[in-house]
Amino acid sequence: MYKGLTNQQVQEKVSQGLTNKTDLHMTRSYEEIIRSNTLTYFNIVNAVLFVIVLITGHIKNGMFFLTIIANTMIGIYQEIKAKKLLERMEIMVATKVPVCRDEVWTEIPADDIVQDDLIRLESGMQIPADCQLLDGYLEADESVLTGESEHVSHYSGDEVSAGTICTSGSASARVVRVGKNCASARIMEEARKYSKVKSELSENLNRLLRIISVAIIPTGLILFATQYWLLGLSWQDAALKSVAAVVGMIPEGLVVLTSIALAVSTMRLSRRQVLVQDLFSIESLARVDVLCLDKTGTLTQGSMKVDRLRPLLDHTETYAKGVLCSFMAAEDKPNATSKALTEYFGKSEVFHIDSYLPFSSARKYTAAHIMGEGTFYLGAVNFLFPKGCPAANRHLREAAKEGKRILILARSAAETIPEGEIPEDLDPVAMITICDVLRDNVREIMSYFRKQDVSLKVISGDDAATVSSLALQAGIPGAEHYVDMSQAEGNMTALAERHTVFGRVTPDQKKALIEALQANGHTVAMTGDGVNDVPALKTADVGVAMAAGSSAAKDSANLVLLDNDFAHMPDIVDEGRRVINNISRAASMYLVKTVFSILLSVYVIVLRQEYPFLPVHLSLISAVGVGIPTFFLQMEPSFERVKGKFFTPAFRNAVPAAVTVFLTAIVCLLLRFIFHLPIERYYGIFVALTGFIYLYTLFRVYYPPTWIRVAVLAAMAVLLVLVLTFVPELFSVGYALQDLAAILPGIAVIPFVNAALARAYDWFRRRTSREKGVRYAEKN
């Protein structure tokens, strides 16, 4: 009998590199964090622009680079802070494997396994390395290797592959290959990795940055040529004007703000005992409109109790109890159901079980052969008696109405347990009624989701009528619309929309239901804790697992509830909405500068005009109108469900404001030439009006007003006035009293111009959408 390794042998294996360590990490290394925040394309461009400003000798125009440094340092600090927190939390949910060393069994992280270790494989575990079974029996889901969802049986002497999931049974095994030496190393790496969330925010942001990154260098060179050779400006002035245009086009703060907001959101969730395994899953949370719930651990507390035992036909209660006691004695990896049965019946070998088939969520039953008595089955009545069980039908209907679960103990004369088949001579022995205990606050949680316009679906392996009754008690709307998936026929997409409760669902059907909801345009979150939930958790837009659940479920989920408390779900959804809504609002403000800089660049190149801004002007406007206010307003509550494209509302606010700045620039240039204004006074009027446009846009973007919004807006207005009044020279502006004759009417007119442009933008969008719809209809 193999007894495993000694600690000395383990150290030798470690020195030889025969460990199971992988390169999979939820967070980046410190070096990667610093490099990714520092050596970005836009940081390098800004550094070059800063050097150009230094060469011109007008150092104050390099003020924009202080913002770049601050953004970079804040980004590094917040990401490192989030990394330390996530790594501490990761330890709490790390997969632990029972291993025997020096003939003592203990649990260690899967990464610490070495070749030739003696380990114990159990139901719910993702197999950490290639192993050879020494004793016991396992059923494994090998879909990550073969693409097939069938569960494969393994016996003593068989090899099982890393990355597959043990769905039933338990066995001792010797590790034969570890880490990258595993036969399925590449596939295992993908299988163990958490599901990467599709992020519209990330995709749209990257697309915008790619477009801008391609445009800024040629635009800057053309601008310099126009200002220097065609307008005859000095090379220093031409360089400063070109730098101003390029700096204006780069929404550098938006990238940093997004990273910081997601990192801070991760830390806020951690205080609620929620581990975020993918930052961009927070965005998907904000878009969730369907939440799929597993009954156990979500609607219920996860604990069960046996209500009663009812003998059937001519069997006695004593006989049924003896068989059930023997079943419990044979069960070495109890789940919630078997724990309830053990608590009620106890465990003792009343009858000798010589072969045992552990419970599997795929087949919904367990079986055992008792010498001289036959083969007994314990499981769901629909699976053991698919054509119905007349002896129990009346009792089943009564129990289902009361929201109770039913297990059937049945007997066959067969001397062996047929694999994957139900004997035809199966007779019922007894019916066990089990009660689930609802969570104390479940009705409040369901009420929250109902108010938030999030549809609820309950997907369970239990009897559909029983689950429906519990869902009604929990206050889930439409819970009376249930379907038994073991007998369901028809289109899965229609079933998913029509029903609220799904009973007798297999793991593959859970996944299919998630896919059907997604095909209907829904953003779906799924909660689960068992190995049977893994396919659905990986398929859902956001998978949420319980820390007490199976290791496979935790590895597959995007979020893990460390205290196993489903009551955190409203907080999680609120957090997702808050961070994405606030990023969207902040994006509006950052994009104003990008859009008007592009418009002004095209204007001055085509009409051969002088660029109306200096870099120092943009530093002031960006700080007062965007950087400072969005930093404080980023943490504000904002719990509306996110709908549509991320940049659609952002551009809806940004474009009218940007065009208003563009038109203001043209008007100010006319005033300059008509009244022969000195350049500093022209800058003063234009900067003052542009600052007001930003403050007005800030008011519109963060409407309706709250006390914090009013306070921030007022503070920024006072700061702008103080800077322009007391230190105008620092920002290359100047004023005379008569300039108020241009500034005050401009301030009065700007809101009306902005409103007219917003209506024009909406009209253009609607017309474009209608034309696209007509073309699509004609094409199809």
Side-chain angles (χ1 to χ4, degrees), residues 64-250:
F64 67 89
F65 200 64
L66 295 177
T67 304
I68 304 302
I69 294 172
N71 284 342
T72 301
M73 297 305 294
I74 292 171
I76 291 172
Y77 170 76
Q78 292 287 14
E79 192 167 349
I80 288 177
K81 189 176 177 181
K83 170 187 170 64
K84 290 179 178 178
L85 177 65
L86 287 174
E87 286 177 347
R88 286 199 302 270
M89 298 175 73
E90 187 181 9
I91 293 172
M92 299 171 65
V93 296
T95 298
K96 298 290 184 66
V97 180
V99 61
C100 185
R101 291 177 176 173
D102 281 335
E103 299 188 33
V104 176
W105 284 94
T106 185
E107 286 193 340
I108 64 171
D111 282 359
D112 292 343
I113 292 170
V114 299
Q115 188 169 304
D116 293 323
D117 256 332
L118 174 61
I119 65 174
R120 187 77 179 167
L121 302 176
E122 300 172 337
S123 178
M125 179 187 294
Q126 191 164 42
I127 296 173
D130 287 355
C131 303
Q132 183 181 40
L133 301 191
L134 302 179
D135 61 61
Y137 162 83
L138 286 182
E139 288 181 36
D141 177 354
E142 299 186 348
S143 57
V144 294
L145 305 180
T146 65
E148 301 294 331
S149 59
E150 293 184 3
H151 295 236
V152 181
S153 298
H154 294 283
Y155 303 89
S156 179
D158 291 350
E159 276 201 16
V160 290
S161 297
T164 59
I165 298 171
C166 178
T167 58
S168 179
S170 61
S172 296
R174 176 175 165 269
V175 176
V176 293
R177 284 177 294 274
V178 290
K180 295 181 179 179
N181 295 324
C182 292
S184 57
R186 184 183 59 81
I187 304 175
M188 181 188 71
E189 183 175 334
E190 200 62 34
R192 290 183 61 189
K193 201 182 299 181
Y194 56 84
S195 306
K196 197 70 176 175
V197 171
K198 180 181 178 182
S199 167
E200 185 175 310
L201 167 60
S202 177
E203 291 175 358
N204 288 345
L205 192 56
N206 288 335
R207 190 180 303 118
L208 175 68
L209 295 179
R210 281 196 298 270
I211 294 170
I212 294 173
S213 63
V214 170
I216 56 175
I217 293 178
T219 301
L221 293 174
I222 294 171
L223 267 171
F224 178 81
T226 303
Q227 307 285 294
Y228 181 60
W229 279 296
L230 298 182
L231 296 181
L233 297 180
S234 67
W235 75 265
Q236 292 94 335
D237 287 341
L240 289 176
K241 299 285 187 179
S242 302
V243 167
V246 174
V247 168
M249 290 182 202
I250 301 174

Side-chain angles (χ1 to χ4, degrees), residues 490-499 516 520:
N491 183 276
M492 185 68 80
T493 304
L495 281 173
E497 287 293 339
R498 191 163 57 242
H499 299 285
N520 286 340

Side-chain angles (χ1 to χ4, degrees), residues 480-663:
E480 66 275 10
H481 302 298
Y482 64 86
V483 59
D484 186 333
M485 294 300 291
S486 66
Q487 301 174 10
E489 296 179 355
N491 183 276
M492 185 68 80
T493 304
L495 281 173
E497 287 293 339
R498 191 163 57 242
H499 299 285
T500 299
V501 174
F502 304 85
R504 297 300 178 210
V505 186
T506 64
D508 289 338
Q509 287 176 328
K510 285 189 179 185
K511 177 182 177 182
L513 284 169
I514 300 293
E515 291 174 333
L517 289 166
Q518 290 171 328
N520 286 340
H522 296 293
T523 302
V524 184
M526 167 75 190
T527 67
D529 58 1
V531 67
N532 59 316
D533 297 316
V534 169
L537 288 170
K538 280 184 170 289
T539 304
D541 296 286
V542 183
V544 183
M546 308 291 176
S550 68
S551 62
K554 289 183 290 186
D555 289 343
S556 303
N558 308 108
L559 305 172
V560 180
L561 305 183
L562 297 179
D563 59 0
N564 308 297
D565 190 355
F566 179 70
H568 290 312
M569 282 303 296
D571 293 332
I572 293 171
V573 173
D574 277 350
E575 182 62 28
R577 293 180 175 185
R578 184 194 62 76
V579 69
I580 300 303
N581 281 325
N582 285 331
I583 289 175
S584 181
R585 288 191 176 98
S588 298
M589 302 307 301
Y590 281 101
L591 291 174
V592 171
K593 181 165 67 79
T594 299
V595 175
F596 79 62
S597 295
I598 292 171
L599 293 175
L600 287 174
S601 297
V602 173
Y603 171 76
V604 300
I605 289 172
V606 172
L607 296 183
R608 300 182 182 181
Q609 295 288 320
E610 188 176 334
Y611 195 80
F613 276 122
L614 290 174
V616 70
H617 299 150
L618 292 176
S619 297
L620 173 62
I621 292 168
S622 294
V624 173
V626 188
I628 298 174
T630 56
F631 178 81
F632 286 105
L633 294 173
Q634 188 61 34
M635 297 299 111
E636 197 183 24
S638 181
F639 302 140
E640 310 87 19
R641 181 161 67 85
V642 178
K643 300 178 182 178
K645 300 291 184 181
F646 174 77
F647 276 122
T648 299
F651 276 112
R652 163 65 177 77
N653 292 312
V655 171
V659 175
T660 304
V661 173
F662 174 68
L663 295 176

Side-chain angles (χ1 to χ4, degrees), residues 103 300 308-309 574:
E103 299 188 33
T300 65
R308 68 173 298 181
L309 172 69
D574 277 350

